[in-house]
Amino acid sequence: MLFSKQRFSEVMGTAADLAADPEVAQDNWESKVLLSLHRSWRDSALEPGTLWVAVPETSLVLQGPFVGVFGLNDHASTVLSMRWVRSVCSGLRQPVRMLDYGSGTGLLSFIGAQCLPASSVLHGVDICPEAVRSAQDNAAMNGFAHRVQFFVNKDEPSEYRGEEGYHVVVANILAEPLIKFEPVIAERARAGAVSYTHLTLPTKRIV
């Protein structure tokens, strides 16, 4: 995920306040993410700016800094999600609709774009505007700007529901927000869709 220096200072200022006075921190996943980011930056030698990372098992190069909750795209859950998307999408010969919920840097959306027929619809959705901007930049850098669209969750298209929902759904996000948003994610999958999260069996059919 890429922060501007100004935005980085704002986010880390909020995180530092939470770390200094834990009683102020609400017991929710947003606070936990901020605290995780604060610990990671405090313990690292990285400075705000851009870090380029080659993603294992792919030809993709993404921009970061990728520390904290977003990782270096080499976490076990990310690698398993990548392999699942590649396996499922490589076997599809007809155009489909794919949703990457909690898309972060856009990695799983790009794997889908590499494997799916050209006229497929690929959408990435994230709660964080910085993540969406980073994913859009990564799409342009890797040649997928015309293939994948990214949205902040409040701005995502509303027409993809029911029979017009997505055929393939993946959500590689933290457990707490995943549980919170599971009904939202399920609503976007059409009957018979295949879905994957790191809290389910490798393939789960929504019927």
Side-chain angles (χ1 to χ4, degrees):
M1 177 180 179
L2 178 66
F3 286 107
S4 68
K5 290 189 178 182
Q6 178 179 352
R7 180 58 176 156
F8 172 84
S9 298
E10 293 172 356
V11 170
M12 287 301 104
T14 302
D17 290 342
L18 291 173
D21 188 359
E23 292 185 1
V24 176
Q26 299 179 19
D27 186 20
N28 55 41
W29 66 271
E30 291 96 336
S31 295
K32 293 175 183 177
V33 166
L34 284 173
L35 289 171
S36 174
L37 284 169
H38 181 264
R39 285 192 297 269
S40 297
W41 278 103
R42 180 195 61 200
D43 297 339
S44 76
L46 294 172
E47 296 295 332
T50 300
L51 175 69
W52 304 95
V53 175
V55 182
E57 301 185 14
T58 78
S59 59
L60 300 170
V61 177
L62 305 181
Q63 59 182 356
F66 299 112
V67 297
V69 70
F70 295 96
L72 286 165
N73 293 305
D74 58 355
H75 189 275
S77 68
T78 302
V79 173
L80 289 173
S81 298
M82 287 166 42
R83 292 173 179 172
W84 182 87
V85 171
R86 185 180 292 115
S87 174
V88 168
C89 293
S90 294
L92 298 174
R93 297 292 176 261
Q94 299 297 321
V96 300
R97 296 181 291 274
M98 173 179 161
L99 173 64
D100 178 7
Y101 202 89
S103 49
T105 59
L107 170 61
L108 300 180
S109 298
F110 304 145
I111 301 277
Q114 288 179 325
C115 301
L116 289 171
S119 55
S120 295
V121 173
L122 295 102
H123 290 161
V125 174
D126 203 283
I127 196 172
C128 178
E130 283 91 353
V132 171
R133 286 193 289 271
S134 180
Q136 291 167 338
D137 289 343
N138 285 326
M141 183 171 61
N142 286 278
F144 296 121
H146 65 295
R147 294 286 315 276
V148 188
Q149 292 179 287
F150 293 97
F151 305 91
V152 178
N153 62 334
K154 64 182 180 64
D155 298 326
E156 65 175 302
S158 60
E159 62 268 29
Y160 296 96
R161 306 286 190 277
E163 283 306 304
E164 298 302 315
Y166 297 93
H167 302 83
V168 180
V169 179
V170 61
N172 181 38
I173 56 179
L174 295 173
E176 192 169 339
L178 178 58
I179 293 170
K180 175 181 177 181
F181 288 110
E182 183 178 14
V184 175
I185 297 169
E187 182 186 29
R188 283 145 181 74
R190 57 173 289 152
V194 290
S195 69
Y196 177 89
T197 76
H198 61 282
L199 297 182
T200 66
L201 295 174
T203 301
K204 176 184 177 183
R205 287 196 173 272
I206 302 174
V207 296

